[in-house]
Amino acid sequence: MELIPRQQAEEQVQHLQRKLYRWSKEKAFSFDRIYNLFYHPAVLCLAWYLLRENQGSRTAGVDGVTVTTVKNKIGIVEWLTAIKRQLRARTFEPDLVRRRRIPKPGKPGKFRLLGIPCLLYTSP
């Protein structure tokens, strides 16, 4: 698998979304067809671009991994390929979410829970 440029990934995902819309109108629609799109290269690459741009991507989850760690130590393509392989085999299991209490704005003494997901995954 190679990293698809963002614009090309967006176009391919939009094409897949149009397909999904057409499929949803069919009487014999099967959700098994949707699962196969989870590990489509364009979907994975677009997910990477969106994840990378997310402000929270600089905060590590319980695994201690950030987007920078994936980029510099693991390799984006290797990381996406490993996720694709596990999704295809239906063995993908995400790790726990790191929970933090953050103060509610304008409400002293009140907090809300914030979940910080992990970037890595449990190996099969």
Side-chain angles (χ1 to χ4, degrees), residues 62-87:
V62 294
D63 57 2
V65 177
T66 64
V67 168
T68 306
T69 309
V70 170
K71 188 176 177 183
N72 296 336
K73 293 186 179 176
I74 300 169
I76 299 165
V77 173
E78 291 80 8
W79 184 70
L80 290 174
T81 302
I83 291 174
K84 178 182 177 177
R85 187 173 37 253
Q86 287 192 352
L87 285 169

Side-chain angles (χ1 to χ4, degrees), residues 31 51 58 69 82 85 89 93 98-99 123:
F31 283 99
L51 175 69
R58 296 185 300 268
T69 309
R85 187 173 37 253
E93 289 185 33
R98 180 176 160 197
R99 304 291 285 189
S123 298

Side-chain angles (χ1 to χ4, degrees), residues 12-116:
Q12 289 181 18
V13 168
Q14 285 178 350
H15 176 74
L16 293 172
Q17 288 173 333
R18 285 191 291 272
K19 267 187 175 178
L20 278 173
Y21 177 75
R22 284 193 308 269
W23 289 345
S24 70
K25 300 299 179 190
E26 295 175 8
K27 291 183 180 175
F29 181 69
S30 170
F31 283 99
D32 286 343
R33 294 162 85 178
I34 292 175
Y35 187 84
N36 295 334
L37 298 179
F38 289 162
Y39 53 84
H40 189 282
V43 172
L44 291 173
C45 289
L46 184 57
W48 166 255
Y49 293 125
L50 295 174
L51 175 69
R52 184 185 67 188
E53 293 167 4
N54 187 332
Q55 184 180 1
S57 68
R58 296 185 300 268
T59 305
V62 294
D63 57 2
V65 177
T66 64
V67 168
T68 306
T69 309
V70 170
K71 188 176 177 183
N72 296 336
K73 293 186 179 176
I74 300 169
I76 299 165
V77 173
E78 291 80 8
W79 184 70
L80 290 174
T81 302
I83 291 174
K84 178 182 177 177
R85 187 173 37 253
Q86 287 192 352
L87 285 169
R88 190 173 200 157
R90 297 186 182 221
T91 59
F92 179 86
E93 289 185 33
D95 279 340
L96 298 173
V97 172
R98 180 176 160 197
R99 304 291 285 189
R100 292 290 175 254
R101 291 168 36 112
I102 61 172
K104 286 187 173 182
K107 297 184 179 180
K110 301 249 181 184
F111 296 89
R112 70 178 181 90
L113 286 176
L114 174 68
I116 304 168

